[in-house]
Amino acid sequence: MSATIGLKQKSGYSTYKLYTLILVLSPILRQYKSGIPGVTLAELTLGITSLLVFGKGFKISLNKALPLIYLWFIGVFLSLNSYFFQQGIYFESVSRLIRFSFYVFLVVIATNCFQLSYALKILKILSIAVSIYIIGQTIVYNILGVILPFKILLFPLWNDIDTGYMLNFASKYYFRPSGVFVEPGYAAQFLLPSLAFSLFGWRNEEKVDYKCVVLIFTAMILTTSAQGIFLGMFVLGVFLMYKIRKNEKFTGVYEKLLLIALILILLVAFFSLDYIQLAINKVTGEVRAGSSFALRVYRGFAVFAQLPVIYKIVGVGHGNMGNFVLANDIITKYDSAKTTLDFADYSSGLSTVLVSYGIIGFLFLIAMYISLVRNTKGAFRLIGMTFIIMSFVANISFSVLIVFYLSLIYSGYTDRNVKLHNSKVVLL
């Protein structure tokens, strides 16, 4: 039985490459306004290119993205029921549900036209450039006290932030380079997949790109992003365990140098560099009311604990956490002093799903996570594991980052129930 939606198949190779290019650039483009209210530049460009791809006519397979589609379907179903129970619905909730539906559509398109080799070529160039720029920003600021620009496009930024603000923050606290991203954490989220590919090989060859590994990891340390540094260490640790498990010895000169360099970097980082201490302090010292770490990691679960039983089961509805919290006067010890909708919505991707879709939807999310690890290997499995861990500390489940990450992960997907034959996907 074919699991495809019949559309007239054409190559559309150049259009596929354009779509792939925008997908790789989406973590950068999402920071900018498109000129259309409520729409980022990434969403606009992805929307246009996806329609171009769709217009070419090709076979759409749902197999790879089925766990995500199930999550989306149950999320819509539970949200509609939750809205009914609450006897009310908010514009923000509907718009966010539409936005997530759009992301799911983009992922489905990507599973059928994503050009992996081209994507890796672009991703490697961008990652090297961003890493060098982060190192350059650090050097220039420490020598000249000047912050090299992070805004590289003429479009206005989605979040109002400028160099003056960053200079003031750096002089008052410390400088955090972010490359071409408005936040160091955004830079780390973009660089993490490249670190995995550098370790496992950029062209399906198990050949470590040592220069890229050192360059990218150094840049991630300099950002002082807690999630970047610790997830970077996680990626390196998993890779080393993978090598040990395969009984591969570091016998080459480069392997020995890499191992020695990594050990030295970790030792120096832990015992003397302020960058690691800052990252550690963000984890251990910021669990206080209103702190970014407390809001992202703990608050969502604290909100869930206070929900009535029915909403613990079905959730409060997609994109409705903030409105529900404010309407029902739910207060946690991690809350910010500000009571705006934005702060009321603040939580990690994992806890956002738990609050929005309840225990039922959360189980579907876990099933999707399991499929990402179970049906991938090498760099793709490592990126999937990183994506899962990142959902504990960052709100990526309902952002355009889910399109970026899942497009990469699904391109290395090897569904055990699917057989590829003559470019067609057939269920066994």
Side-chain angles (χ1 to χ4, degrees), residues 95-116:
S95 64
R96 290 169 180 172
L97 185 57
I98 294 174
R99 188 186 298 269
F100 180 57
S101 302
F102 175 60
Y103 293 159
V104 173
F105 168 75
L106 293 177
V107 172
V108 171
I109 295 295
T111 58
N112 295 270
C113 71
F114 190 74
Q115 304 296 304
L116 179 59

Side-chain angles (χ1 to χ4, degrees), residues 115-377:
Q115 304 296 304
L116 179 59
S117 60
Y118 178 70
L120 293 182
K121 179 181 178 181
I122 299 300
L123 185 61
K124 183 176 182 180
I125 294 173
L126 287 175
S127 298
I128 291 174
V130 169
S131 298
I132 292 175
Y133 194 49
I134 288 174
I135 295 172
Q137 284 179 321
T138 304
I139 294 173
V140 171
Y141 177 78
N142 283 287
I143 294 177
L144 302 176
V146 175
I147 295 180
L148 295 179
F150 56 88
K151 185 175 182 292
I152 59 174
L153 300 179
L154 297 178
F155 293 87
L157 289 170
W158 185 259
N159 294 319
D160 294 328
I161 185 173
D162 55 30
T163 304
Y165 168 82
M166 296 184 70
L167 277 170
N168 181 61
F169 182 90
S171 61
K172 189 175 181 180
Y173 301 101
Y174 54 91
F175 175 59
R176 303 182 68 198
S178 57
V180 295
F181 297 89
V182 296
E183 293 185 15
Y186 289 1
Q189 291 166 358
F190 177 75
L191 292 174
L192 280 166
S194 296
L195 182 61
F197 284 123
S198 297
L199 290 166
F200 280 94
W202 286 93
R203 297 183 179 277
N204 296 324
E205 302 172 1
E206 292 195 3
K207 184 178 180 181
V208 182
D209 190 329
Y210 304 105
K211 293 180 180 178
C212 277
V213 171
V214 174
L215 180 66
I216 292 173
F217 190 58
T218 298
M220 292 173 66
I221 290 178
L222 292 177
T223 65
T224 70
S225 167
Q227 62 174 300
I229 292 174
F230 292 116
L231 283 176
M233 291 180 177
F234 169 78
V235 169
L236 292 173
V238 170
F239 176 75
L240 289 174
M241 291 184 66
Y242 167 80
K243 287 293 186 180
I244 294 173
R245 186 177 179 182
K246 290 191 66 177
N247 295 320
E248 293 187 8
K249 297 181 180 180
F250 289 87
T251 57
V253 176
Y254 286 111
E255 285 86 351
K256 290 180 179 178
L257 290 176
L258 174 64
L259 185 59
I260 293 172
L262 290 178
I263 292 175
L264 288 176
I265 288 175
L266 292 177
L267 288 176
V268 173
F270 272 111
F271 293 106
S272 61
L273 282 183
D274 291 337
Y275 296 108
I276 297 297
Q277 292 302 319
L278 290 171
I280 293 175
N281 290 338
K282 287 179 70 65
V283 176
T284 61
E286 288 198 3
V287 187
R288 64 179 187 276
S291 70
S292 176
F293 187 81
L295 289 171
R296 282 183 287 132
V297 178
Y298 297 104
R299 183 177 176 275
F301 295 104
V303 169
F304 176 79
Q306 296 190 45
L307 294 179
V309 175
I310 182 62
Y311 294 115
K312 285 182 178 178
I313 297 174
V314 303
V316 302
H318 188 98
N320 198 43
M321 176 176 167
N323 288 312
F324 190 92
V325 166
L326 295 177
N328 293 274
D329 295 323
I330 295 178
I331 301 174
T332 75
K333 64 180 181 180
Y334 307 109
D335 290 352
S336 169
K338 299 180 181 179
T339 56
T340 62
L341 182 61
D342 288 339
F343 281 90
D345 273 320
Y346 220 130
S347 63
S348 67
L350 195 74
S351 60
T352 296
V353 173
L354 182 60
V355 173
S356 301
Y357 300 160
I359 295 175
I360 296 176
F362 187 74
L363 293 176
F364 278 82
L365 177 69
I366 298 302
M368 186 187 83
Y369 284 169
I370 292 174
S371 72
L372 294 180
V373 176
R374 181 174 180 267
N375 296 306
T376 52
K377 61 182 181 179

Side-chain angles (χ1 to χ4, degrees), residues 38-50:
V39 179
T40 67
L41 186 58
E43 292 165 346
L44 177 62
T45 51
L46 283 171
I48 294 174
T49 51
S50 66

